[in-house]
Amino acid sequence: GTYNIKSYTSLALDNVHANDTLALVFRLFAPPASPVTTAASICGPGTDTLTATASDTILWYSASSGGTLLQTGTSYIPPNVIATTTYYVAAKSTCEGPRIPVALTVLPVPNVTLGNDTSINQGNSVSLNAGSGFTSYLWQPGGQTTQSISVNATNCYSVRVTNGSGCQDRDTLCVAVIVPSDVGVTSISSPANH
C-alpha cells in the first residue's frame, strides 16, 4: 500500500506550516512468493543441478540468513559434495522474499566384491556369490537375478547390485576351465636304459 505522511513543528508562535512541513510518501510492497524448488539426489560424492522457478529473480545462498550469495538464476550446480548439503533460495523483486531450503542429498553406494579370478578343472563348477543386503542382482552373461550363481565354463562373469536407495555397484570375476592334456605317458625309461 501507499502511505502519505506529513510532519511539521507545533510551536505556539508558528502556525504557518508552509516553511516547516516535511511530506513523505511510503510504498510498502509484499515480498515475492517463494520459488518452487527441485532438490536432487546423487549416488556417492559428486554434484547435480538444483533448480527453482519463480516469476522474480532467483537468488541462491549458502545459509538460511546472511551467508554468501552463490548464484543468480533458475539453476545452481554446487561444487562436488561428499555429504548431503542444504542450500537456500529466495525470489527478489523490489524486495527479497524468505529463503527456503533445497538439498543435494548424497545417497550411500553399495559395495560388491566377487573376489579374485579363479580356475577350475573341467567337469567341476564354482559358486559366485555377490553377498547379501542388496535389493536386486543382475548377472551377465545369463541374466540371473539371484544372490549367487554356479558356473562351469570359461568366461568373465559380472554382477550389478542395487541397494534400497537405488544406487548401484558392479564387479567382475573371470573363471578359467583347465582341460586335462590329451598327452599320456606310455612308458618310463630310466637313465640306465640310454
Side-chain angles (χ1 to χ4, degrees), residues 168-180:
Q168 298 179 336
D169 191 26
R170 176 187 297 266
D171 195 23
T172 300
L173 181 145
C174 295
V175 175
V177 175
I178 299 172
V179 179

Side-chain angles (χ1 to χ4, degrees), residues 5-182:
I5 298 174
K6 286 189 178 182
S7 176
Y8 54 87
T9 59
S10 59
L11 298 174
L13 300 174
D14 184 10
N15 58 1
V16 178
H17 300 298
N19 62 352
D20 58 3
T21 300
L22 177 62
L24 297 173
V25 176
F26 289 97
R27 288 188 178 90
L28 300 179
F29 298 94
S34 295
V36 176
T37 61
T38 303
S41 297
I42 55 175
C43 292
T47 191
D48 202 349
T49 303
L50 304 173
T51 60
T53 56
S55 57
D56 301 299
T57 302
I58 297 173
L59 308 174
W60 295 87
Y61 290 97
S62 61
S64 59
S65 63
T68 302
L69 174 63
L70 302 171
Q71 186 167 313
T72 301
T74 59
S75 64
Y76 174 60
I77 302 174
N80 281 353
V81 296
I82 59 172
T84 296
T85 306
T86 300
Y87 300 92
Y88 298 86
V89 62
K92 182 177 181 180
S93 55
T94 304
C95 55
E96 186 175 316
R99 297 181 191 180
I100 58 171
V102 56
L104 177 55
T105 302
V106 179
L107 302 171
V109 177
N111 183 24
V112 61
T113 303
L114 294 175
N116 296 325
D117 292 349
T118 190
S119 59
I120 57 173
N121 290 326
Q122 186 178 33
N124 292 339
S125 63
V126 62
S127 178
L128 307 181
N129 192 326
S132 61
F134 306 114
T135 57
S136 70
Y137 303 83
L138 180 61
W139 293 89
Q140 294 297 337
Q144 299 94 328
T145 57
T146 54
Q147 177 181 325
S148 62
I149 60 172
S150 181
V151 298
N152 60 5
T154 295
N155 209 336
C156 290
Y157 300 89
S158 67
V159 63
R160 184 183 69 211
V161 298
T162 305
N163 65 12
S165 300
C167 296
Q168 298 179 336
D169 191 26
R170 176 187 297 266
D171 195 23
T172 300
L173 181 145
C174 295
V175 175
V177 175
I178 299 172
V179 179
S181 172
D182 290 333

